Amino acid sequence: MDYGHDLRFGSFITPTASPAQNPVVLAQVSEAAGLDLVTYQDHPYQPAFLDTWTLMAYVAAVTERIHIAANVINVPLRMPTLPRAAASLDLLSGGRFDLALGAGAFWDAIAAMGGPRRTAGEAVTALEEAIRIVRDTWRTDARGGVFHDGPAYPVHGAKRGPRPAHDIPIWIGALKPRMLRLIGRTGDGWLPSESMMQPGDLDEGMVRIDDAARAAGREPEQIRRLLNIGPEADTRSWAHRLAALTLNSGVSTFILASDDPQTLHRFGQEVAPAVRELVEHERAARGTAAADTRSRSVRAARVAGIAYDDVPAGLRAIEPGDFDYANVRNTYTRGGSPALVLLPEDTAQVSEAVRFAARHPDVPLSVRSAGHGISGQSTNDGGLVINLRALNSIEVLDEERRLVRIGAGARWSEVAAALGEHGWALSSGDSGGVGVGGLATAGGIGYFSREYGLTIDRLRAAQIVLADGSKHRVDAEHDADLFWAVRGAGANMGIVTHFDFEAIEVGPIGHARLIYDASDLEELFTVWGRVVTESPRDTTAFLTVAPQRGGRFIAIAAIVVDQADPDIVLSRLQPFAQVAPILDQSAHITTYAQVVAGADDGPQQGQGAPITRSGLFRDLSPEVVTAAAALVRSGQTPFFQIRALGGAASDVDADETAFAHREAQLSLVAFGSDADRLGLMWEPLGSHSIGLYTSFEASNRPARIDEAFPPHVLARLRRIKQRVDPHRLFRDNFPVGSDASE
C-alpha cells in the first residue's frame, strides 16, 4: 500500500552529554546533507544524555531549515508542560518542530523520577488524554479554558496557547495493538523502529492502523508512516529496499539511527535522491495520486458551488478545518467564516487567484492586505478571500528620487522601519498594523497628511491585476484613467499587488499624548477644531473621545510635530495644552517608525461585525459641535474620533484622484454596537458632512456610495469599472457598480 505521501529523510542521533557538542554538530551535518529531520531519544533518567528539550532548543538556534523532533517524547515525565513547550519551540524555530510521543517505558526509572507506574491499558488511555489536551491547548481560537476530567491528566480551566507556528503533527511510537488502534483514531503518524520488529509486524501494523482510522471516520492517508532504520553498506540495494518499503508498505519517512557523519552524509546525498527517483518513476507508472490528508469532516464542511479541487497548483489554499484557518478567517474588527482563503505569493499567483474567483461569480469575494480596516470588508461568510500577506516586499528603486516599491501585503510598521533606515517615511494612518494595500487604494489619512498630503498623493505607479487576471502597470502615462481610479477607489478596479511611492524625507519628530478631562464636550470640540486647523502644517493631531465609568468622558490626543528641535515642538504643543484640563501628558522626540511601531503582526481575532458612521467636514461649526456632543453623550458610541486633514491634502486638485473631497479639514468617525441607534444619533451630525472616507465606513447603506464620491466622480468611476470589470467581480467593497443599487 502506497499512501502517496511525499518522501522525507531524517537522522536519529544519540543525545550524548560527552562531548556535549557532538549531537549538535551531527544535526548540522544532517542539515548540510539535505536531510529533512533530526531526532533525539528522550530519556530524562539517563545521566549520560543531555536533556532532550534543552538540546532541541539549542539545535533549533544553530540550524536554519531542518525539522527537529524527539524520538520519542516520554509523555509521563513531560506533562503538563508538554503543550506549551512544543508550541514554544515551534514558534522559536519558525515552524520546524514536530511532536513524536511515547506512552513511556522503563517504568522503574520513571517512578524514580516521580512519574507514575501504569499498566499497558492505562498507558494507552493516558497517551490519548495527553494528545487531546495538547491539541486543545493549541486551539487559541476557542473560547474559555481547557477542561479534561480523565484519570491520568485532569485539567480544569488551563489557559490556551501559545498557538504553534505550523500544524505540528503528532506521531506516536508504538507497536502493540491497542496503541496502533490509538494511532488510527487520533494520530498523525506512526513511528516504530525496524530493529524492534519481527517479520510481518510492519504490514500488520499498517492494517491495524488503517482499520482503526476507517472506523473513526478517517482516511488512512491522513496518517504518515515513519520508520527508524539502520545503515546499510551498499547504497544501491539500500535505496531499492527503502523504495520498496514506500511502494509496498506505505513508509514515507525514513530516519537513520547513526552517529557517523559520513554515513549521514551518504544517506542524505546518495540514498535519499535514489529512493525519490525510484519511487517517483514507479508512482508515475502506477498513476499513484499524491495523498490528500484533509479529513472527511473538513471535506464535509465545504461550501457547495466552490470548486475546491480546481485551485491552481502551487497556490496555497486554506479552508475550514485546516490548522491555519483560525489565523486567516477574521479581521481586526470582524469575525468571518470564509469558505476558502487563497494566499498567493506573487503577482502571477494573484492572477491565478482572480481567475479562480471569476469562475465563482455568485460567491462573495474579499481581498485582504492585513485585515485591519474598519470597514471590515476583507473577510466574509461562505465566500472567497484573497489574502495578500505574502506580498510584503519593500524595495528601494531609486535612492536619489526616494522611489520605493512596496508590496500590498506589507504592514505600515514594516514600511516605516525599512524607510526609516534611509531617513524617509510615508504618511500611513496611525496604526502600524494596517496593511499597505487597503490604505493606499482608499486615501491614507495619517500623521503627515497636513504637511505632505494623503498616502495616495505620494503614489507614482501601481501594478494591478484586473478581473480577467491580466496584469497592468498604471501611472500618469500608462492608463492614466485607471491610475486615477486606483487612488481612492482601487478596491473597485482590481487587486493592486505593489505600489511605487515617492517617499518623504523625515528626521526626528515630536510625538505627544495628552489626556483631557472631556466633561465639557462642546468647549473641547470647539477649541480643538480651531487649534487643529490653525496649527502649522508640520503639526497633525487626532482626538479620540471615550466614556469612562460614572458617566465621565476623557479625550486622548495623539499629536505629531515634524520638527526635531524640542523648543519648536513645545511651541507647537502649547495651544493644545489649552484645549481642556489635562489629566496626563507625555511628549518626546522620537522617530516616525517608533510612533507606528508595536503593531501586532499575528492573526486577527475580531468578532462580530464592525458598526461605524463617518463623515468628512470643512470645520467644527457650532452646529457640528452640538451634534457631535449629543452623539457622544447618547451612549451610542464608545469610540469617537476626529482626525485632522487639510493643509497639503487640500492643495491637491479635487479631480486629481478619485478621493475628491479635498476641501475637508477634518474626518469624524463613530463606532457603535447598534446600527439603527447609531444611525439615528449620527444623522444630525452627518447632515453637515461633505462626504465620507471609505476606510472608516462599515455600513452597507446604498447611499454611502453617493456620499463617498461626488456625482461626476462616480460617473467616471462607473465608466472605468465597465471597462476593466464589466461583470462586477470586485463588488464587495464600496462597489460603484452601474448604479447605487448594487
Side-chain angles (χ1 to χ4, degrees):
M1 166 64 77
D2 179 7
Y3 299 97
H5 294 137
D6 59 308
L7 295 183
R8 299 177 188 172
F9 298 85
S11 58
F12 188 3
I13 296 168
T14 307
T16 178
S18 181
Q21 286 296 320
N22 192 62
V24 178
V25 171
L26 290 176
Q28 294 171 316
V29 169
S30 299
E31 183 170 61
L35 296 180
D36 307 293
L37 176 68
V38 58
T39 71
Y40 303 93
Q41 56 185 288
D42 181 37
H43 295 295
Y45 36 76
Q46 173 55 267
F49 290 171
L50 296 168
D51 174 71
T52 300
W53 276 110
T54 307
L55 173 60
M56 290 190 297
Y58 190 96
V59 167
V62 298
T63 56
E64 297 179 355
R65 176 193 55 80
I66 199 165
H67 275 234
I68 303 156
N71 197 341
V72 289
I73 288 289
N74 191 310
V75 172
L77 291 179
R78 297 299 185 179
M79 290 292 283
T81 61
L82 176 60
R84 289 186 174 85
S88 298
L89 186 48
D90 194 53
L91 288 165
L92 291 169
S93 66
R96 293 189 290 125
F97 178 71
D98 300 323
L99 184 59
L101 303 179
F106 308 104
W107 292 103
D108 289 342
I110 291 175
M113 294 188 68
R117 292 182 181 273
R118 293 195 175 112
T119 66
E122 290 171 339
V124 174
T125 300
L127 185 56
E128 190 163 11
E129 287 182 35
I131 291 171
R132 186 179 304 117
I133 292 167
V134 167
R135 287 179 171 150
D136 207 15
T137 303
W138 292 344
R139 285 196 59 211
T140 55
D141 57 319
R143 297 290 184 176
V146 176
F147 291 86
H148 178 71
D149 292 327
Y153 305 113
V155 179
H156 304 289
K159 300 292 186 181
R160 299 179 187 273
R163 186 177 180 85
H166 85 301
D167 188 3
I168 298 179
I170 297 180
W171 305 325
I172 299 173
L175 288 173
K176 299 299 183 181
R178 278 181 290 193
M179 280 293 185
L180 295 176
R181 289 193 290 270
L182 170 62
I183 295 170
R185 289 195 304 273
T186 191
D188 299 312
W190 180 30
L191 177 53
S193 292
E194 193 174 33
S195 62
M196 300 177 66
M197 305 177 80
Q198 299 298 319
D201 283 355
L202 183 64
D203 291 335
E204 183 180 340
M206 298 291 185
V207 172
R208 289 185 185 276
I209 291 171
D210 291 355
D211 289 345
R214 293 188 185 97
R218 306 177 72 201
E219 302 295 343
E221 56 263 30
Q222 290 180 243
I223 303 167
R224 178 172 286 274
R225 319 304 163 107
L226 307 91
L227 188 64
N228 291 323
I229 61 172
E232 298 181 24
D234 184 76
T235 297
R236 184 176 183 276
S237 62
W238 192 5
H240 277 272
R241 191 178 78 83
L242 298 187
L245 284 171
T246 296
L247 296 166
N248 300 326
S249 299
V251 178
S252 58
T253 299
F254 298 98
I255 304 174
L256 175 63
S258 176
D259 294 336
D260 178 56
Q262 292 183 341
T263 302
L264 293 174
H265 181 82
R266 181 165 67 95
F267 186 57
Q269 291 294 299
E270 300 178 25
V271 177
V275 176
R276 287 192 169 101
E277 183 178 355
L278 289 167
V279 170
E280 183 180 352
H281 181 270
E282 184 61 25
R283 281 177 173 174
R286 294 180 181 183
T288 304
D292 184 352
T293 58
R294 284 192 165 97
S295 67
R296 293 179 187 176
S297 60
V298 170
R299 288 185 166 274
R302 289 179 166 180
V303 173
I306 296 180
Y308 291 88
D309 295 331
D310 293 340
V311 173
L315 178 58
R316 188 181 176 203
I318 298 175
E319 57 185 279
D322 288 344
F323 175 80
D324 287 329
Y325 183 72
N327 293 341
V328 298
R329 63 182 299 180
N330 304 316
T331 71
Y332 180 77
T333 58
R334 175 179 172 176
S337 300
L340 186 65
V341 179
L342 303 175
L343 294 99
E345 296 185 353
D346 53 29
T347 298
Q349 286 197 337
V350 172
S351 295
E352 293 179 338
V354 168
R355 292 189 183 100
F356 179 84
R359 296 197 293 273
H360 301 78
D362 298 323
V363 175
L365 173 63
S366 299
V367 180
R368 180 187 308 168
S369 56
H372 200 281
I374 292 172
S375 67
Q377 298 302 311
S378 52
T379 193
N380 58 56
D381 294 321
L384 302 175
V385 172
I386 299 177
N387 188 321
L388 306 176
R389 186 65 184 96
L391 282 73
N392 62 351
S393 61
I394 303 168
E395 176 187 2
V396 176
L397 300 178
D398 188 324
E399 185 91 21
E400 185 175 344
R401 295 175 55 200
R402 302 188 302 278
L403 194 64
V404 296
R405 178 165 294 167
I406 302 174
R411 285 174 164 87
W412 283 109
S413 59
E414 299 167 337
V415 175
L419 298 188
E421 295 178 0
H422 301 271
W424 304 342
L426 284 166
S427 188
S428 54
D430 62 348
S431 172
V434 172
V436 169
L439 183 138
T441 53
I445 300 175
Y447 285 128
F448 294 127
S449 294
R450 300 187 71 248
E451 187 174 15
Y452 296 108
L454 305 178
T455 306
I456 60 173
D457 297 335
R458 309 300 300 182
L459 184 61
R460 300 296 176 256
Q463 177 82 25
I464 186 170
V465 175
L466 300 183
D468 62 358
S470 60
K471 302 180 288 289
H472 299 265
R473 174 183 168 84
V474 296
D475 56 28
E477 297 178 352
H478 302 88
D479 204 339
D481 237 19
L482 181 55
F483 184 53
W484 169 87
V486 163
R487 293 172 292 165
N492 268 278
M493 304 304 164
I495 299 179
V496 177
T497 59
H498 63 250
F499 303 80
D500 292 355
F501 289 104
E502 184 181 333
I504 56 179
E505 288 186 295
V506 175
I509 61 174
H511 179 239
R513 184 174 183 267
L514 308 179
I515 300 179
Y516 299 115
D517 179 345
S519 300
D520 190 341
L521 290 170
E522 286 83 358
E523 179 68 11
L524 171 73
F525 292 151
T526 299
V527 180
W528 179 265
R530 183 179 68 250
V531 170
V532 166
T533 55
E534 292 179 356
S535 292
R537 290 190 174 194
D538 60 14
T539 302
T540 300
F542 298 164
L543 183 74
T544 302
V545 181
Q548 303 295 296
R549 292 179 180 177
R552 182 187 182 196
F553 294 97
I554 64 167
I556 305 168
I559 309 167
V560 165
V561 181
D562 186 18
Q563 295 285 347
D565 187 327
D567 292 334
I568 297 177
V569 172
L570 287 175
S571 69
R572 299 287 195 265
L573 295 177
Q574 192 59 38
F576 290 95
Q578 311 304 317
V579 168
I582 294 179
L583 303 176
D584 195 8
Q585 60 183 315
S586 64
H588 56 289
I589 303 298
T590 184
T591 65
Y592 181 67
Q594 285 297 315
V595 171
V596 296
D600 182 8
D601 196 40
Q604 311 288 8
Q605 298 295 341
Q607 297 294 321
I611 296 172
T612 67
R613 294 298 299 270
S614 66
L616 299 170
F617 295 79
R618 291 188 179 89
D619 56 30
L620 293 185
S621 66
E623 295 79 11
V624 171
V625 165
T626 299
L631 171 60
V632 173
R633 288 199 184 97
S634 72
Q636 296 306 314
T637 176
F639 183 95
F640 180 81
Q641 189 175 67
I642 304 173
R643 296 191 177 207
L645 269 168
S650 297
D651 290 344
V652 178
D653 189 277
D655 292 329
E656 182 69 22
T657 65
F659 182 101
H661 299 292
R662 293 294 179 164
E663 71 274 32
Q665 300 294 303
L666 301 154
S667 169
L668 277 59
V669 59
F671 281 76
S673 58
D674 185 286
D676 292 336
R677 289 202 292 262
L678 179 62
L680 183 65
M681 293 305 302
W682 175 267
E683 286 309 314
L685 179 59
S687 65
H688 299 284
S689 72
I690 59 173
L692 63 79
Y693 177 42
T694 59
S695 285
F696 292 166
E697 181 73 18
S699 165
N700 283 324
R701 301 170 297 110
R704 75 198 188 287
I705 305 299
D706 297 309
E707 296 172 19
F709 306 110
H712 72 285
V713 172
L714 186 55
R716 185 178 177 185
L717 286 172
R718 286 174 174 164
R719 289 193 298 271
I720 301 170
K721 176 77 168 177
Q722 181 62 32
R723 172 168 65 89
V724 301
D725 185 15
H727 301 296
R728 309 293 192 263
L729 177 64
F730 302 108
R731 62 188 180 278
D732 293 312
N733 189 358
F734 261 84
V736 296
S738 56
D739 55 48
S741 64
E742 185 186 34

